[in-house]
Amino acid sequence: MNIQIFGTNKCFDTKKAMRFFKERNIKYQFIDMQEKGMSKGEYISVKQAVGGLDAMLDEKCREQDALALIQYIAKEDQDEKVLENQKVLKTPVVRNGKQATVGFCPDIWKEWN
């Protein structure tokens, strides 16, 4: 397994995700989204794996203005705006190759091998 966890140090669910993998002795790479966000390729891969942008957006994020803009602009412009302001995404984003989850999803992670 090649686990990547995208999140922030302040996010409770991100901490729970890291603990989940640590308890199972599964190595992971943590990427702090406040320092370095997802690349365009990583973002597109996750978006395809989880079924689209709507599954990735955090309705309760602090960046409500950016979220509203992303939801109402043309579909072809949405990805660019999300990459500019990744604080609108739910965390943690956990990747395992082509598989990915958004949020705390231990039931899905248990099935990965």
Side-chain angles (χ1 to χ4, degrees), residues 84-97:
E84 286 174 17
N85 190 350
Q86 296 187 16
K87 292 179 182 170
V88 299
L89 298 175
K90 287 180 194 164
T91 54
V93 175
V94 180
R95 287 184 67 212
N96 179 21

Side-chain angles (χ1 to χ4, degrees), residues 53 70 73-84:
L53 179 59
I70 288 164
I73 60 175
K75 292 275 185 217
E76 60 269 14
D77 298 330
Q78 287 179 330
D79 292 338
E80 191 175 315
K81 283 292 177 201
V82 170
L83 287 168
E84 286 174 17

Side-chain angles (χ1 to χ4, degrees), residues 1-4 94-101 112-113:
M1 276 197 284
N2 184 18
I3 303 294
Q4 288 180 307
V94 180
R95 287 184 67 212
N96 179 21
K98 293 284 181 198
Q99 299 172 305
T101 60
W112 290 353
N113 38 347

Side-chain angles (χ1 to χ4, degrees), residues 1-3 17-29:
M1 276 197 284
N2 184 18
I3 303 294
M18 290 191 293
R19 190 176 325 119
F20 174 89
F21 290 106
K22 193 176 220 170
E23 287 172 353
R24 287 156 181 79
N25 291 322
I26 299 170
K27 289 185 178 173
Y28 61 86
Q29 176 187 13

Side-chain angles (χ1 to χ4, degrees), residues 21-73:
F21 290 106
K22 193 176 220 170
E23 287 172 353
R24 287 156 181 79
N25 291 322
I26 299 170
K27 289 185 178 173
Y28 61 86
Q29 176 187 13
F30 172 67
I31 297 95
D32 189 339
M33 292 179 75
Q34 292 189 325
E35 292 176 17
K36 177 184 184 279
M38 280 190 265
S39 70
K40 187 172 184 174
E42 290 165 334
Y43 166 75
I44 298 298
S45 172
V46 170
K47 187 173 127 179
Q48 289 173 342
V50 300
L53 179 59
D54 289 340
M56 297 176 70
L57 292 177
D58 183 0
E59 300 293 328
K60 299 177 196 139
C61 73
R62 290 185 179 173
E63 303 290 328
Q64 287 296 310
D65 292 344
L67 180 64
L69 175 67
I70 288 164
Q71 290 174 322
Y72 294 106
I73 60 175

